[in-house]
Amino acid sequence: MIISAYPSDATSTHQLPHTADRLPHQLFHGSTWHSRLLPSMHKFAYPYRYWGVNITALAAGEVLPEISVSSAVKPISNKRSRIESLSLFSAQRKALQQFCAEDYLSSSVENSDVDSDDRTGLVSANALEQRLKTSFIEHTGSAPAGEIIGMLVCRNVGLYFSPVNFYLGFDKAQTPTHLLAEVSNTPWDKRHYYGVLLEGTDTEFCHDKNFHVSPFNPIDQQYCWQVKIKKQADNCLQVRIAINISDARGDVLKTGVKMSGIPMTKQTIRDSLRQNPFMNFTSLTRIYWHAFKLYAIKKVPYVNYDEKLADSQQQQDYK
């Protein structure tokens, strides 16, 4: 799906900016919110974290931090022992939080012809960058001329779960030019992609919904996005992405994320994991808890997959 805020430009091969001017790997901290207006009121907000990976830099060889802590002393013999470590964050091995390039865009774009057994390290980063460029072209008509920042959820104790990842594309002057949203519908485990060409730091656009996400929302709705992306003094980003969802009844749901980036260092990663070490599990639990409250307590009618409002129990109740 192509959603264009201005005519697409021809794609161009880009070179990685000088290190001092580069958008760094960063940690995004902030909140996500959900405010349902129809058919019943239901609101919540909670802290959230994205791993802000500069995929362009990663493909050029700039590695992510590797962080471990000593966990135990294991005897090898009567005179020797070995200190074992627990990996907190890694792109190379299993960890409390693990970045794995194959988790992203795997359902939308075919992988490159690199042997899957060899897709590790720099090879997997380059494959991800190529998948992203292909997906940007498919969904917006062009690829970013500059860097690409992924706002990603990483594997948590081996579990990969993300309701939505965002990929931010920039031109060579680091002006935001592209957005790609990788949306997952939790109960059905499918993915869908929305792409848009951005009008700099502040863009609004609307389009028809064409992917069933919530079992409490019909398919014939409209999404209106508000995207704000600003660069801070340390080259990290402030990002606000809000989506207002409406249908024939009026405004139904308002949702979004508001995040601020800080440089991704060993210390900031440790601090973040200390605050929320199992975010994937808490996110999944919250989704099903709020679904239970909507269905069992607030009696919001279930909507079948790809069902329109006119055919649903919600429309009958609304009348």
Side-chain angles (χ1 to χ4, degrees):
M1 179 179 185
I2 298 177
I3 310 165
S4 182
Y6 56 79
S8 61
D9 298 320
T11 60
S12 60
T13 303
H14 62 271
Q15 295 180 345
L16 198 64
H18 187 271
T19 303
D21 300 324
R22 189 179 306 167
L23 296 172
H25 297 312
Q26 53 197 282
L27 273 172
F28 286 102
H29 293 109
S31 62
T32 180
W33 69 88
H34 180 114
S35 179
R36 178 175 288 276
L37 306 175
L38 292 173
S40 296
M41 294 285 291
H42 185 71
K43 299 182 180 181
F44 63 83
Y46 52 85
Y48 207 68
R49 173 181 62 224
Y50 275 116
W51 299 85
V53 178
N54 187 326
I55 295 166
T56 309
L58 197 69
E62 183 178 296
V63 299
L64 294 168
E66 294 283 323
I67 304 175
S68 299
V69 293
S70 298
S71 60
V73 178
K74 183 177 181 180
I76 299 177
S77 67
N78 291 336
K79 297 182 179 180
R80 297 170 56 202
S81 63
R82 181 179 66 197
I83 298 177
E84 293 191 339
S85 64
L86 171 67
S87 185
L88 296 180
F89 179 76
S90 177
Q92 307 297 330
R93 57 180 177 146
K94 292 181 180 180
L96 178 64
Q97 290 279 334
Q98 180 188 2
F99 170 79
C100 184
E102 286 72 41
D103 288 336
Y104 311 106
L105 285 93
S106 57
S107 301
S108 165
V109 181
E110 290 296 327
N111 288 331
S112 66
D113 57 3
V114 178
D115 190 305
S116 60
D117 291 335
D118 191 36
R119 192 169 287 111
T120 57
L122 188 60
V123 175
S124 62
N126 275 279
L128 174 57
E129 185 186 39
Q130 291 305 313
R131 292 200 302 273
L132 267 170
K133 289 180 178 178
T134 301
S135 194
F136 271 120
I137 292 171
E138 177 185 349
H139 295 288
T140 73
S142 68
E147 297 167 274
I148 300 173
I149 300 291
M151 296 177 61
L152 310 173
V153 176
C154 291
R155 293 187 186 186
N156 194 183
V157 197
L159 172 69
Y160 172 76
F161 168 72
S162 177
V164 58
N165 296 314
F166 298 105
Y167 304 93
L168 313 177
F170 298 81
D171 63 17
K172 293 180 180 179
Q174 295 184 339
T175 300
T177 58
H178 293 68
L179 171 69
L180 184 71
E182 181 180 29
V183 183
S184 300
N185 53 11
T186 303
W188 303 279
D189 196 27
K190 296 181 180 180
R191 298 190 195 186
H192 186 76
Y193 297 83
Y194 294 109
V196 65
L197 294 169
L198 300 176
E199 299 175 326
T201 60
D202 197 339
T203 303
E204 296 186 13
F205 57 98
C206 299
H207 62 87
D208 291 336
K209 172 183 174 181
N210 53 19
F211 181 59
H212 192 95
V213 177
S214 168
F216 302 103
N217 283 347
I219 191 65
D220 50 340
Q221 294 184 317
Q222 187 177 62
Y223 286 177
C224 286
W225 299 60
Q226 297 175 338
V227 181
K228 298 180 184 293
I229 304 171
K230 295 182 179 180
K231 190 168 70 170
Q232 304 172 133
D234 57 4
N235 272 8
C236 290
L237 303 172
Q238 288 185 336
V239 179
R240 184 183 187 274
I241 301 175
I243 309 172
N244 295 335
I245 303 172
S246 61
D247 57 29
R249 296 169 292 180
D251 290 335
V252 175
L253 180 66
K254 298 179 185 294
T255 186
V257 295
K258 184 177 181 181
M259 317 294 292
S260 293
I262 57 174
M264 188 187 296
T265 66
K266 291 185 177 183
Q267 187 59 51
T268 59
I269 291 175
R270 287 192 182 96
D271 292 342
S272 182
L273 293 180
R274 190 177 297 114
Q275 294 174 10
N276 192 350
F278 302 109
M279 193 188 78
N280 292 18
F281 294 92
T282 56
S283 295
L284 193 59
T285 301
R286 282 167 172 154
I287 286 174
Y288 283 105
W289 168 242
H290 287 289
F292 171 78
K293 291 176 70 174
L294 283 172
Y295 185 73
I297 299 175
K298 298 192 175 182
K299 307 299 181 182
V300 175
Y302 184 91
V303 177
N304 294 319
Y305 197 91
D306 278 351
E307 188 174 36
K308 293 184 177 181
L309 177 62
D311 302 323
S312 70
Q313 184 63 42
Q314 285 193 15
Q315 176 68 0
Q316 297 177 24
D317 292 352
Y318 183 72
K319 291 178 179 179

